[in-house]
Amino acid sequence: MSGRERQARTDLGRIEAEHVSIRLGYGAEAFEAVQDVSFAIEPGELVCLIGPSGCGKSTLLGALAGHIATSAGKLHVDGAPVAGPHPDRGIVFQHHTLFPWKSARDNVAFGPKMRGIGKVERRRQADEILELVGLADFAGRYPKQLSGGMQQRVEIARVLVNKPRLLLMDEPFGALDALTRIKMQELLLDIWTRVRTTVVFVTHDIDEALFLADRIIVMSPRPGRILEVIRVPFARPRATEIVATPEFGQLKRHCLELLHVRSDSAPLTRLSPLGFDTGQGG
Amino acid sequence: MSARRSLLDSIGATGTAIFLGAVGIAIFLSIWTIASHSLDSAVLLPPPLTVLQTYGGLIADGSLAQDVRASIVRVFGGFLIASSTAVPLALLLAYSRILRGLVMPLIALIRPIPPIAWIPLAILWMGLGDPPSYFITAIAAFFPIFLNAFAGGASLQDEHVNAARSLGATPFALLKTVMLPSALPMIVTGLRIGLGQAWMAVVTAELVAAQSGLGYMIQISRLNLETARVLVGMTVIGLLGAVMIGLIGVFERRVIVPWHYPR
Ligand SMILES: Nc1ncnc2c1ncn2[C@@H]1O[C@H](COP(=O)(O)OP(=O)(O)OP(=O)(O)O)[C@@H](O)[C@H]1O
Ligand SMILES: [Mg+2]
């Protein structure tokens, strides 16, 4: 992609959140899941969101996607308030949300289909994106016939085909084994350098956040507030070897301290102030 | 022992299934033959051979085909009425909390009433002939189809809905392209069970309320003490029912929900 093209695309995808609160539940059960959150994300930036389980990361991402309404504050994308879901703001979840009754190709072609694009053209677009995520040979398979990592790649393709301004990802690699996860992280960075779009990436995994992000937003336990925004200085393109550098270790220790975890104790995913820690680590 | 195993091995899984099935049926027919010879009464239990000869006669004079056709038309009539009402209603109820609250208690009250208990009302309202049989088969098929389609519609995952909406789906597109296909495997299960129920109910209805069909034929033959004909009627019902349900199963795997059975 040429510099000028990148320039044109990176004009879009700015997020501004000012004093955003989100209430969940009804009546007496209602509570504030996200409280007075303010941040700004530049077009084309890759920002990771970390915080203890139940602190409202998914809720905040759902609000950006337009699935969940905010209860106070201002949540704008490119100057316009978020009102309902839109293909410009694509979201990828941890658990497979591919339509099992459609082939990989037709899953990816779903967005173009909703926009009224004809069968031949939308399949061509789907094949192009599947090629980008390295699944050209698996276009005709049903989700059940694909591995977990392949399914996640189809999910990403299904969102990218809409050329979104925002790519929202909710622990997209959380269910994958360690090796596949690293491959997927590299693939994501590779795609992101070619298709510059703003990425907001929720994760439990501090290593993952440090490897991927330009900046990391660290949230507090429920009700979710922003504890700190950390700039990640590593040059790109990044190689997995940065994990071994002293700076990496230092930043990681800092994150762990923010999350009230000493670096020599159990992994973050096991620790939850709300007690949701029974065996669902990872 | 080892010789027999090598025989089964040599004909493969399908061959084995057919072979064992045939042996099972042959054993059953031998027991039947022995029993009928020791009873020695064509009224209590005619031997299989007599039943086979009766088959020949009824096929030759065309009356068996007529009865089969009458019953099949009723089964599919009632089945069509049931599926075209039960599936949309079930999906609508799965979608709308208010409709669900209004209708579900009613369904819970009507469901335990067996189809046979509707026969008096059906005859009062519609007289003898075809209509009550359609009504009874429709009632019998309705509930399994409805309940399965409802479970299918209710099992729709929020994530699928959210994903589809984020990809630009309108509410109507959501119903058509997400809810219907995700409920389809359960709908087809309901259709299969519903067809079996309709097939059983048509015989019940014809025993009482019709003047043609396999149920009617069984009833008349019983009155005439023509037990061989009764057995012809019963075995035809068994055969056709098994074939129909088998065909739906094939249709399901090949055409309707092939993604559910990846190869
Ligand atoms: N629909 C809902 N109604 C009521 N409460 C909810 C709902 N969804 C989530 N919650 C609660 O809101 C809080 C925030 O949930 P959220 O899913 O955003 O947390 P999270 O940070 O994504 O956690 P995790 O890391 O475990 O995914 C949690 O305490 C959760 O139990
Ligand atoms: Mg979450």
Side-chain angles (χ1 to χ4, degrees), chain B residues 25-210:
Chain B
I25 291 170
I27 293 173
F28 172 76
L29 289 177
S30 325
I31 294 173
W32 178 358
T33 309
I34 294 166
S36 70
H37 278 298
S38 53
L39 281 171
D40 195 23
S41 157
V43 172
L44 281 182
L45 186 63
L49 210 61
T50 313
V51 175
L52 203 64
Q53 281 156 0
T54 315
Y55 255 102
L58 292 175
I59 290 173
D61 72 5
S63 65
L64 185 63
Q66 234 168 2
D67 286 323
V68 166
R69 192 176 316 120
S71 292
I72 286 186
V73 167
R74 289 185 185 123
V75 166
F76 278 97
F79 177 71
L80 274 184
I81 296 170
S83 40
S84 60
T85 50
V87 172
L89 183 68
L91 291 186
L92 220 60
L93 293 201
Y95 192 72
S96 156
R97 199 155 47 94
I98 294 174
L99 278 179
R100 193 156 64 233
L102 276 174
V103 180
M104 278 314 245
L106 212 61
I107 300 244
L109 287 174
I110 297 176
R111 188 164 76 97
I113 304 172
I116 198 170
W118 289 91
I119 290 183
L121 268 190
I123 295 178
L124 279 175
W125 290 344
M126 306 167 201
L128 293 177
D130 273 349
S133 305
Y134 286 126
F135 182 74
I136 300 302
T137 47
I139 294 254
F142 181 88
F143 290 101
I145 300 175
F146 173 85
L147 290 173
N148 279 284
F150 179 78
S155 73
L156 177 64
Q157 294 171 13
D158 279 354
E159 293 88 51
H160 280 160
V161 174
N162 280 344
R165 294 201 313 149
S166 265
L167 295 167
T170 59
F172 177 72
L174 211 58
L175 260 173
K176 192 179 132 232
T177 59
V178 180
M179 195 158 185
L180 184 63
S182 86
L184 210 52
M186 295 225 56
I187 292 177
V188 177
T189 302
L191 292 180
R192 199 171 50 219
I193 302 172
L195 187 62
Q197 295 292 323
W199 192 228
M200 288 190 229
V202 78
V203 177
T204 316
E206 287 169 350
L207 283 174
V208 186

Side-chain angles (χ1 to χ4, degrees), chain A residues 65-67 85-87 89-91 93 96-102 107 110-111 113-114 142 144-145 158-159 162, chain B residues 156-157 159-170 173-174 176-179 181-183 258-263:
Chain A
H67 296 147
H86 193 281
R89 285 172 271 113
I91 184 159
F93 302 91
H96 311 312
T97 65
L98 293 178
F99 305 127
W101 55 88
K102 285 180 181 293
N107 262 285
F110 185 84
K113 182 180 180 180
M114 291 299 112
Y142 287 110
K144 270 195 180 173
Q145 299 168 304
R158 186 172 68 165
V159 164
N162 291 324
Chain B
L156 177 64
Q157 294 171 13
E159 293 88 51
H160 280 160
V161 174
N162 280 344
R165 294 201 313 149
S166 265
L167 295 167
T170 59
L174 211 58
K176 192 179 132 232
T177 59
V178 180
M179 195 158 185
S182 86
W259 51 269
H260 217 239
Y261 306 93
R263 264 170 265 197

